[in-house]
Amino acid sequence: MPLWLDLLRTPMAAPETAMLRSMRRTFQLLCIASAICVVLVSPLTALLGRAAPVGIAGLLLTTAIYTGLYVFRKHRADEAFLAAATSDEQP
């Protein structure tokens, strides 16, 4: 069997559970909020003063930590799914 066909038949990721879907959506919202806050840092600083950069830094830190947690859980789910799929194929 050609390699491309074998790769096409190989499952690349685990089916998304409700928890992973919720985590993915939260991750996406954190990324969007971070981008908006970084773009609007000057108006936010004018509006909120010195609290704005501290809040933005907190949001960026939260996004970074949550990203690590999401990637860890997603990788663990993918590895478990792949292990189950390959053990079913082997006699």
Side-chain angles (χ1 to χ4, degrees):
M1 175 179 312
L3 178 62
W4 66 269
L5 185 57
D6 190 37
L7 289 174
L8 186 64
R9 293 182 50 226
T10 304
M12 299 310 250
E16 192 172 51
T17 63
M19 184 185 82
L20 282 175
R21 185 178 316 113
S22 173
M23 287 186 74
R24 178 178 49 84
R25 289 181 178 154
T26 301
F27 165 72
Q28 290 170 335
L29 289 174
L30 283 170
C31 289
I32 290 169
S34 296
I36 290 170
C37 285
V38 167
V39 168
L40 298 175
V41 69
S42 295
L44 287 173
T45 302
L47 184 67
L48 301 173
R50 296 181 76 125
V54 173
I56 293 171
L59 179 62
L60 291 172
L61 183 62
T62 301
T63 303
I65 292 170
Y66 197 82
T67 299
L69 178 65
Y70 173 71
V71 168
F72 173 75
R73 288 190 177 168
K74 178 67 174 153
H75 179 69
R76 189 174 58 185
D78 289 344
E79 288 296 320
F81 179 73
L82 188 59
T86 56
S87 69
D88 289 343
E89 292 176 4
Q90 307 264 337

